[in-house]
Short mmCIF file of all heavy atoms in Angstrom, two decimals:
data_model
loop_
_atom_site.label_atom_id
_atom_site.label_comp_id
_atom_site.label_asym_id
_atom_site.label_seq_id
_atom_site.Cartn_x
_atom_site.Cartn_y
_atom_site.Cartn_z
N ILE Z 10 53.42 3.72 -68.85
CA ILE Z 10 52.03 3.54 -68.40
C ILE Z 10 51.98 3.07 -66.96
O ILE Z 10 51.28 3.68 -66.14
CB ILE Z 10 51.28 2.59 -69.36
CG1 ILE Z 10 51.15 3.25 -70.74
CG2 ILE Z 10 49.91 2.23 -68.81
CD1 ILE Z 10 50.61 2.35 -71.83
N PRO Z 11 52.70 2.00 -66.56
CA PRO Z 11 52.64 1.60 -65.15
C PRO Z 11 53.22 2.66 -64.21
O PRO Z 11 52.71 2.87 -63.10
CB PRO Z 11 53.46 0.32 -65.08
CG PRO Z 11 53.57 -0.17 -66.47
CD PRO Z 11 53.45 1.02 -67.35
N LYS Z 12 54.26 3.35 -64.66
CA LYS Z 12 54.86 4.40 -63.81
C LYS Z 12 53.86 5.52 -63.56
O LYS Z 12 53.73 6.01 -62.44
CB LYS Z 12 56.12 4.95 -64.46
CG LYS Z 12 57.29 3.97 -64.47
CD LYS Z 12 58.48 4.57 -65.17
CE LYS Z 12 59.61 3.56 -65.29
NZ LYS Z 12 60.76 4.09 -66.02
N ASP Z 13 53.16 5.93 -64.62
CA ASP Z 13 52.15 6.98 -64.47
C ASP Z 13 51.00 6.51 -63.58
O ASP Z 13 50.49 7.28 -62.76
CB ASP Z 13 51.60 7.41 -65.83
CG ASP Z 13 52.62 8.17 -66.66
OD1 ASP Z 13 53.59 8.69 -66.07
OD2 ASP Z 13 52.43 8.24 -67.90
N PHE Z 14 50.61 5.25 -63.74
CA PHE Z 14 49.53 4.71 -62.92
C PHE Z 14 49.91 4.71 -61.45
O PHE Z 14 49.12 5.11 -60.58
CB PHE Z 14 49.20 3.29 -63.38
CG PHE Z 14 48.11 2.63 -62.59
CD1 PHE Z 14 46.79 3.02 -62.77
CD2 PHE Z 14 48.40 1.65 -61.67
CE1 PHE Z 14 45.77 2.42 -62.04
CE2 PHE Z 14 47.41 1.04 -60.94
CZ PHE Z 14 46.09 1.43 -61.12
N ILE Z 15 51.11 4.27 -61.14
CA ILE Z 15 51.57 4.24 -59.74
C ILE Z 15 51.69 5.66 -59.20
O ILE Z 15 51.30 5.93 -58.06
CB ILE Z 15 52.91 3.48 -59.64
CG1 ILE Z 15 52.67 2.00 -59.92
CG2 ILE Z 15 53.55 3.66 -58.28
CD1 ILE Z 15 53.93 1.17 -60.05
N LYS Z 16 52.18 6.57 -60.01
CA LYS Z 16 52.31 7.97 -59.58
C LYS Z 16 50.93 8.56 -59.28
O LYS Z 16 50.73 9.20 -58.23
CB LYS Z 16 53.00 8.77 -60.67
CG LYS Z 16 53.19 10.22 -60.35
CD LYS Z 16 53.87 10.93 -61.52
CE LYS Z 16 53.64 12.41 -61.44
NZ LYS Z 16 53.99 13.11 -62.65
N ASP Z 17 49.97 8.35 -60.18
CA ASP Z 17 48.62 8.87 -59.96
C ASP Z 17 47.97 8.21 -58.75
O ASP Z 17 47.25 8.86 -57.98
CB ASP Z 17 47.75 8.64 -61.20
CG ASP Z 17 48.18 9.49 -62.38
OD1 ASP Z 17 48.89 10.49 -62.16
OD2 ASP Z 17 47.81 9.14 -63.52
N GLY Z 18 48.20 6.92 -58.57
CA GLY Z 18 47.63 6.21 -57.43
C GLY Z 18 48.16 6.72 -56.10
O GLY Z 18 47.40 6.90 -55.15
N THR Z 19 49.46 6.97 -56.03
CA THR Z 19 50.02 7.49 -54.77
C THR Z 19 49.53 8.90 -54.50
O THR Z 19 49.24 9.25 -53.35
CB THR Z 19 51.55 7.45 -54.80
OG1 THR Z 19 52.02 8.12 -55.97
CG2 THR Z 19 52.07 6.03 -54.79
N GLN Z 20 49.39 9.72 -55.53
CA GLN Z 20 48.84 11.06 -55.34
C GLN Z 20 47.41 10.99 -54.84
O GLN Z 20 47.02 11.75 -53.94
CB GLN Z 20 48.89 11.86 -56.64
CG GLN Z 20 50.26 12.32 -57.04
CD GLN Z 20 50.25 13.06 -58.38
OE1 GLN Z 20 49.25 13.05 -59.09
NE2 GLN Z 20 51.37 13.68 -58.71
N PHE Z 21 46.62 10.07 -55.38
CA PHE Z 21 45.23 9.92 -54.96
C PHE Z 21 45.17 9.48 -53.49
O PHE Z 21 44.37 10.01 -52.71
CB PHE Z 21 44.54 8.89 -55.86
CG PHE Z 21 43.13 8.58 -55.46
CD1 PHE Z 21 42.12 9.49 -55.70
CD2 PHE Z 21 42.82 7.40 -54.82
CE1 PHE Z 21 40.81 9.22 -55.34
CE2 PHE Z 21 41.53 7.11 -54.45
CZ PHE Z 21 40.52 8.02 -54.70
N LEU Z 22 45.98 8.50 -53.12
CA LEU Z 22 45.94 8.00 -51.75
C LEU Z 22 46.42 9.03 -50.73
O LEU Z 22 45.92 9.07 -49.61
CB LEU Z 22 46.77 6.72 -51.63
CG LEU Z 22 46.16 5.49 -52.30
CD1 LEU Z 22 47.11 4.32 -52.19
CD2 LEU Z 22 44.83 5.15 -51.67
N THR Z 23 47.37 9.87 -51.10
CA THR Z 23 47.82 10.89 -50.17
C THR Z 23 46.76 11.98 -49.98
O THR Z 23 46.71 12.61 -48.92
CB THR Z 23 49.14 11.53 -50.62
OG1 THR Z 23 48.99 12.03 -51.95
CG2 THR Z 23 50.28 10.52 -50.56
N ARG Z 24 45.90 12.19 -50.97
CA ARG Z 24 44.85 13.20 -50.85
C ARG Z 24 43.63 12.69 -50.10
O ARG Z 24 42.84 13.48 -49.59
CB ARG Z 24 44.39 13.66 -52.22
CG ARG Z 24 45.43 14.42 -52.97
CD ARG Z 24 45.02 14.60 -54.40
NE ARG Z 24 44.94 15.99 -54.76
CZ ARG Z 24 44.27 16.44 -55.79
NH1 ARG Z 24 43.59 15.61 -56.53
NH2 ARG Z 24 44.26 17.72 -56.08
N CYS Z 25 43.45 11.37 -50.05
CA CYS Z 25 42.28 10.80 -49.40
C CYS Z 25 42.35 11.00 -47.89
O CYS Z 25 43.40 10.87 -47.28
CB CYS Z 25 42.18 9.30 -49.70
SG CYS Z 25 41.75 8.95 -51.39
N THR Z 26 41.20 11.29 -47.32
CA THR Z 26 41.12 11.43 -45.87
C THR Z 26 39.98 10.57 -45.35
O THR Z 26 39.01 10.28 -46.07
CB THR Z 26 40.86 12.89 -45.46
OG1 THR Z 26 39.65 13.32 -46.07
CG2 THR Z 26 42.00 13.80 -45.88
N LYS Z 27 40.11 10.17 -44.10
CA LYS Z 27 39.05 9.38 -43.48
C LYS Z 27 37.89 10.32 -43.16
O LYS Z 27 38.08 11.41 -42.63
CB LYS Z 27 39.61 8.75 -42.20
CG LYS Z 27 38.67 7.79 -41.53
CD LYS Z 27 39.36 7.14 -40.35
CE LYS Z 27 38.40 6.20 -39.66
NZ LYS Z 27 39.03 5.57 -38.50
N PRO Z 28 36.65 9.92 -43.48
CA PRO Z 28 35.52 10.80 -43.20
C PRO Z 28 35.29 10.95 -41.70
O PRO Z 28 35.49 10.01 -40.93
CB PRO Z 28 34.34 10.10 -43.87
CG PRO Z 28 34.74 8.68 -43.96
CD PRO Z 28 36.23 8.66 -44.09
N ASP Z 29 34.87 12.15 -41.30
CA ASP Z 29 34.54 12.34 -39.89
C ASP Z 29 33.15 11.75 -39.62
O ASP Z 29 32.49 11.23 -40.52
CB ASP Z 29 34.61 13.81 -39.49
CG ASP Z 29 33.69 14.69 -40.33
OD1 ASP Z 29 33.08 14.19 -41.28
OD2 ASP Z 29 33.59 15.90 -40.01
N LYS Z 30 32.73 11.81 -38.37
CA LYS Z 30 31.49 11.15 -37.98
C LYS Z 30 30.28 11.72 -38.71
O LYS Z 30 29.42 10.98 -39.19
CB LYS Z 30 31.31 11.28 -36.47
CG LYS Z 30 30.14 10.50 -35.93
CD LYS Z 30 30.07 10.57 -34.42
CE LYS Z 30 28.93 9.72 -33.91
NZ LYS Z 30 28.86 9.72 -32.46
N ARG Z 31 30.22 13.03 -38.84
CA ARG Z 31 29.08 13.68 -39.51
C ARG Z 31 29.02 13.27 -40.98
O ARG Z 31 27.95 12.94 -41.50
CB ARG Z 31 29.22 15.19 -39.39
CG ARG Z 31 28.06 15.96 -40.01
CD ARG Z 31 28.31 17.46 -40.02
NE ARG Z 31 29.50 17.84 -40.78
CZ ARG Z 31 29.55 17.93 -42.11
NH1 ARG Z 31 28.49 17.65 -42.83
NH2 ARG Z 31 30.66 18.30 -42.71
N GLU Z 32 30.15 13.27 -41.64
CA GLU Z 32 30.19 12.90 -43.05
C GLU Z 32 29.83 11.42 -43.24
O GLU Z 32 29.10 11.07 -44.17
CB GLU Z 32 31.58 13.17 -43.61
CG GLU Z 32 31.70 12.98 -45.10
CD GLU Z 32 33.09 13.31 -45.62
OE1 GLU Z 32 34.02 13.52 -44.82
OE2 GLU Z 32 33.24 13.34 -46.85
N PHE Z 33 30.30 10.56 -42.35
CA PHE Z 33 29.99 9.14 -42.43
C PHE Z 33 28.49 8.90 -42.26
O PHE Z 33 27.89 8.11 -42.99
CB PHE Z 33 30.77 8.36 -41.37
CG PHE Z 33 30.49 6.89 -41.38
CD1 PHE Z 33 31.04 6.08 -42.35
CD2 PHE Z 33 29.66 6.32 -40.44
CE1 PHE Z 33 30.78 4.72 -42.37
CE2 PHE Z 33 29.38 4.97 -40.44
CZ PHE Z 33 29.95 4.17 -41.41
N ILE Z 34 27.87 9.60 -41.31
CA ILE Z 34 26.43 9.44 -41.08
C ILE Z 34 25.65 9.94 -42.29
O ILE Z 34 24.67 9.32 -42.72
CB ILE Z 34 26.01 10.16 -39.78
CG1 ILE Z 34 26.57 9.39 -38.58
CG2 ILE Z 34 24.50 10.27 -39.68
CD1 ILE Z 34 26.38 10.09 -37.26
N GLN Z 35 26.09 11.04 -42.88
CA GLN Z 35 25.42 11.58 -44.05
C GLN Z 35 25.50 10.60 -45.23
O GLN Z 35 24.50 10.37 -45.92
CB GLN Z 35 26.06 12.91 -44.44
CG GLN Z 35 25.38 13.63 -45.57
CD GLN Z 35 26.03 14.97 -45.88
OE1 GLN Z 35 27.10 15.28 -45.36
NE2 GLN Z 35 25.40 15.75 -46.71
#
Side-chain angles (χ1 to χ4, degrees):
I10 294 171
K12 290 178 185 177
D13 290 340
F14 179 74
I15 292 171
K16 180 181 160 193
D17 291 341
T19 53
Q20 286 178 349
F21 176 75
L22 288 176
T23 55
R24 293 168 122 200
C25 290
T26 58
K27 186 175 179 180
D29 58 354
K30 187 175 183 178
R31 182 187 60 79
E32 187 178 9
F33 179 77
I34 290 173
Q35 185 178 9

